[in-house]
Amino acid sequence: MSNATEPAARPSNPYLVLASAIVLPGSGHVMLGLPARGLQFLFFMVILGWVTTKVALADASFIGRHAGGFLIYSLSILDAYRIARIRHAIWTHGLPDGDNATSGAKADI
């Protein structure tokens, strides 16, 4: 357990996490220490991309044929950035670690 007087480690820069998540899907989550979550997003991105290729019209564009994968890709980017922003805000404002009973949000996302 960490000591209350000991400063918390600086979290990853949210903009760096955002850029990483945009360039390589799942890498933003890996930077945050959540590789399993990044792998889950990557798995569903491939699966839904494949499914939409099977159900899309023949004359659909590349993005239209892979719309399911692009949807999960965009959600993955937003999720990694959200987690990074929350961790950075908690670190910046010096909020206590653990569950916050008033907001219902967990500090260890």
Side-chain angles (χ1 to χ4, degrees), residues 1 5 8 13 16 30 48 60-61 66 71 75 80 103:
M1 293 188 81
T5 60
N13 183 337
L16 186 60
V30 172
L48 286 179
S61 67
H66 299 89
L71 171 69
L75 292 176
S103 69

Side-chain angles (χ1 to χ4, degrees), residues 21-100:
I22 290 171
V23 171
L24 186 63
S27 64
H29 289 94
V30 172
M31 285 182 68
L32 294 170
L34 302 168
R37 189 177 183 104
L39 190 61
Q40 289 171 348
F41 272 109
L42 196 58
F43 174 75
F44 283 106
M45 190 180 345
V46 170
I47 294 298
L48 286 179
W50 178 80
V51 167
T52 54
T53 59
K54 300 302 176 190
V55 297
L57 298 175
D59 61 344
S61 67
F62 177 81
I63 292 179
R65 285 191 312 269
H66 299 89
F70 284 113
L71 171 69
I72 302 300
Y73 172 58
S74 62
L75 292 176
S76 170
I77 292 169
L78 293 173
D79 184 64
Y81 181 67
R82 179 188 62 87
I83 292 170
R85 287 294 296 186
I86 290 171
R87 288 183 178 180
H88 192 266
I90 289 170
W91 179 81
T92 302
H93 299 293
L95 298 176
D97 289 338
D99 291 338
N100 187 349

